[in-house]
Amino acid sequence: MLFPTVDFGLFFLVVFSLSWLMRGQASMRKLFLLVASYFFYGYWDWSFCLLLLFNAVISYIGGLLIDSSDNDRHRKRVLAAVVVIDLGLLGYFKYAGFFMDSLRELFVMIGLERDLPFLEIILPVGISFFTFQSISYVVDIYRKQIHATRSFVDLALYISFFPQLVAGPIVRAAHFMPQLDTKPVLTRLMMGKGFFLILIGLFKKMVLANYLATLYVDEVFLAPEQASSLELVMGVYAYAGQIYCDFSGYSDIAIGIAALLGYHFKRNFNQPYRSASLQEFWTRWHISLSQWLRDYLYIPLGGNRGGVVGTYRNLFLTMLLGGIWHGAAMTFVIWGIIHGSALIVERLTGLSRLTRRGVGRIVGVLFTFHVVCFAWIFFRAPNLQLATDYLALILQGTTDISMLTPFIVGLILTCAIGQFVPARTYERSYVMLSRLGTVGMALAFAAGLLVIQWIAPSGTAPFIYFQF
């Protein structure tokens, strides 16, 4: 079920109404939201609800076993078992087909052809996100940062809560689960926040991202040889805008929906293209993922405790594994290598200190943005050959314009301007909206939906991060 659809609108209207009627009955409300979340997930394929349930059961049992034991060896074994099961399932669905195809190609190359089974594995939507939440839950219990919940419904709802289930943000149990034990209150400010974030998210996705994709990005990446070097460069800029609007738009909608249900999610994007260094970029882009990689990968690898060489190694491995997380392809590996290498170069040269203010910051923003865009070429290209061809065609230096239109340039500029508006624009906007009162907010929201539907291109495109 996609957010910008009539089906989801009707679904959420029912969930919103019934959940607030149950606001005085905590257990009933949580159970209802859990059933609604499974219905939302099962709308694609009900069989994958079993995987979601299995994930919750393993996390629940593992959490209780870890929390109830004082034997550190036993706790480690249980933690390892849960993490291996979670990553094993994630690895099977995301990478089994890739490894089987690679093995078949290797046998052909060395003259040892084998009849290997053909695996056509359907990737469950959102498996990476609910797997990461499950892992963070049991790791936090092992670290004694939280206690295991005795309520299976609470844990299952934490893992499957529908606003962020399929594409994040990745929510921590320590932040979300205590909210389940308090009586929800829908203030005017939360309502204003919810309405505003849903509208801005829909505008980013349905208008900016979809127009950039359908009118330009898809065309230049499908046949880069038909575009000039200038148009290919603009194609990368357009994709930078598209992926930001697509993914941050989803996060905005998810956070807004949660707010309308009485729950607070942290911001997941914070104007990332205004960053003056790669280090700053990763504090602004997909914040919940970068914090997860820091807390559950970089720090366990040793963080910055292993000296200079150890720190650089851990940075590189974290970004490399972050690239592999996005998919089983060399393009994602190279994307991770670029980011890992750039972070190391920044530390070696001290560039992040030189770009904190003045002219240095302007140069840092431009340099960082273009490093990110260079990496986006590999992220977007369907294979390594097309990515290298794309780069080679850019280097030809041709400047003809046949595909690029003023409308596309306007969309790219709109995305760019949004990165440099005052930092608290979102907060000020939903505060102003909340001052309209309940009826005024509802009317403004309805009008906004109609305008977005009117100006958006026809059709419903899936969000980019659904594939991860």
Side-chain angles (χ1 to χ4, degrees):
M1 192 181 299
L2 298 173
F3 281 165
T5 60
V6 174
D7 288 352
F8 179 79
L10 295 174
F11 164 80
F12 182 68
L13 185 62
V14 172
V15 171
F16 175 82
S17 302
L18 295 180
S19 66
W20 283 109
L21 288 175
M22 301 176 187
R23 64 184 179 275
Q25 302 169 291
S27 298
M28 185 70 71
R29 189 178 202 261
K30 288 186 287 189
L31 183 59
F32 169 71
L33 289 174
L34 177 61
V35 172
S37 296
Y38 271 75
F39 177 83
F40 172 85
Y41 194 65
Y43 202 79
W44 282 285
D45 189 332
W46 275 103
S47 62
F48 288 135
C49 287
L50 297 175
L51 178 64
L52 190 61
L53 180 61
F54 178 77
N55 181 278
V57 170
I58 292 298
S59 301
Y60 179 72
I61 296 173
L64 289 176
L65 291 175
I66 295 171
D67 201 32
S68 62
S69 176
D70 294 324
N71 186 315
D72 194 51
R73 179 177 294 181
H74 174 71
R75 288 160 52 83
K76 283 183 179 179
R77 287 175 177 171
V78 175
L79 174 64
V82 174
V83 172
V84 166
I85 291 171
D86 283 342
L87 293 182
L89 288 171
L90 178 63
Y92 171 75
F93 282 105
K94 291 193 76 166
Y95 308 111
F98 169 78
F99 284 121
M100 191 64 68
D101 291 341
S102 300
L103 186 60
R104 183 182 294 106
E105 292 176 5
L106 177 62
F107 282 156
V108 171
M109 287 175 58
I110 63 179
L112 298 174
E113 296 188 27
R114 294 288 187 274
D115 292 328
L116 296 176
F118 177 75
L119 295 179
E120 186 175 1
I121 300 172
I122 299 174
L123 181 67
V125 176
I127 185 172
S128 295
F129 292 95
F130 66 72
T131 297
F132 277 16
Q133 292 199 177
S134 172
I135 291 174
S136 70
Y137 171 73
V138 292
V139 171
D140 286 352
I141 294 172
Y142 175 78
R143 292 174 175 174
K144 299 185 178 180
Q145 295 174 347
I146 61 172
H147 288 290
T149 180
R150 266 53 183 173
S151 169
F152 178 74
V153 171
D154 283 12
L155 178 62
L157 180 57
Y158 157 68
I159 291 175
S160 65
F161 191 41
F162 72 87
Q164 44 73 230
L165 173 59
V166 295
I170 302 168
V171 180
R172 303 289 181 88
H175 176 70
F176 179 69
M177 293 183 72
Q179 297 184 58
L180 298 177
D181 295 326
T182 60
K183 184 176 180 180
V185 178
L186 185 61
T187 64
R188 284 188 179 181
L189 185 61
M190 287 191 71
M191 185 177 290
K193 176 182 179 179
F195 283 152
F196 173 77
L197 288 178
I198 292 172
L199 286 177
I200 197 69
L202 289 173
F203 177 75
K204 286 179 181 179
K205 168 59 181 173
M206 295 178 65
V207 180
L208 296 178
N210 284 3
Y211 271 126
L212 285 170
T214 57
L215 297 183
Y216 196 64
V217 174
D218 291 348
E219 290 186 23
V220 295
F221 274 92
L222 178 65
E225 68 280 358
Q226 297 182 12
S228 68
S229 299
L230 176 61
E231 290 176 322
L232 292 176
V233 171
M234 294 302 293
V236 182
Y237 294 162
Y239 182 66
Q242 179 202 344
I243 193 171
Y244 166 74
C245 290
D246 192 286
F247 195 19
S248 71
Y250 184 95
S251 292
D252 287 341
I253 297 169
I255 296 168
I257 290 171
L260 290 180
L261 293 173
Y263 302 110
H264 172 69
F265 285 175
K266 295 179 181 179
R267 190 170 184 176
N268 203 30
F269 287 84
N270 184 16
Q271 298 173 300
Y273 294 139
R274 70 186 298 164
S275 303
S277 67
L278 262 295
Q279 183 179 358
E280 181 184 352
F281 176 81
W282 281 105
T283 66
R284 293 174 175 272
W285 176 274
H286 199 352
I287 299 169
S288 62
L289 175 62
S290 60
Q291 290 178 344
W292 195 98
L293 292 173
R294 178 197 65 197
D295 294 343
Y296 303 104
L297 188 55
Y298 176 69
I299 292 177
L301 284 172
N304 56 7
R305 299 189 302 273
V308 175
V309 175
T311 298
Y312 295 158
R313 177 201 63 208
N314 298 335
L315 270 175
F316 186 82
L317 286 175
T318 298
M319 297 312 303
L320 176 62
L321 292 172
I324 294 172
W325 170 79
H326 282 90
M330 278 303 300
T331 50
F332 293 122
V333 171
I334 293 175
W335 177 83
I337 289 173
I338 292 170
H339 278 273
S341 301
L343 286 168
I344 291 173
V345 170
E346 281 185 357
R347 292 209 175 201
L348 279 171
T349 60
L351 284 175
S352 59
R353 294 192 299 273
L354 299 175
T355 58
R356 290 177 181 172
R357 59 182 64 87
V359 176
R361 179 160 185 87
I362 295 173
V363 173
V365 169
L366 291 173
F367 181 76
T368 300
F369 176 69
H370 284 90
V371 171
V372 171
C373 284
F374 173 65
W376 281 144
I377 294 173
F378 294 92
F379 194 94
R380 172 59 179 81
N383 55 66
L384 187 57
Q385 183 62 54
L386 191 142
T388 55
D389 289 346
Y390 198 103
L391 287 168
L393 290 166
I394 286 178
L395 294 176
Q396 289 183 353
T398 54
T399 58
D400 300 337
I401 296 177
S402 59
M403 301 171 63
L404 187 63
T405 65
F407 181 63
I408 295 300
V409 174
L411 292 175
I412 295 172
L413 289 175
T414 300
C415 296
I417 291 170
Q419 300 296 302
F420 296 95
V421 298
R424 297 186 62 82
T425 298
Y426 271 27
E427 289 81 357
R428 291 168 182 161
S429 297
Y430 61 69
V431 167
M432 290 176 59
L433 184 60
S434 68
R435 292 172 181 166
L436 297 177
T438 303
V439 175
M441 283 189 285
L443 291 175
F445 181 68
L449 289 179
L450 290 174
V451 170
I452 291 171
Q453 182 64 38
W454 177 54
I455 63 177
S458 59
T460 303
F463 290 87
I464 291 174
Y465 264 70
F466 277 19
Q467 63 185 299
F468 305 128

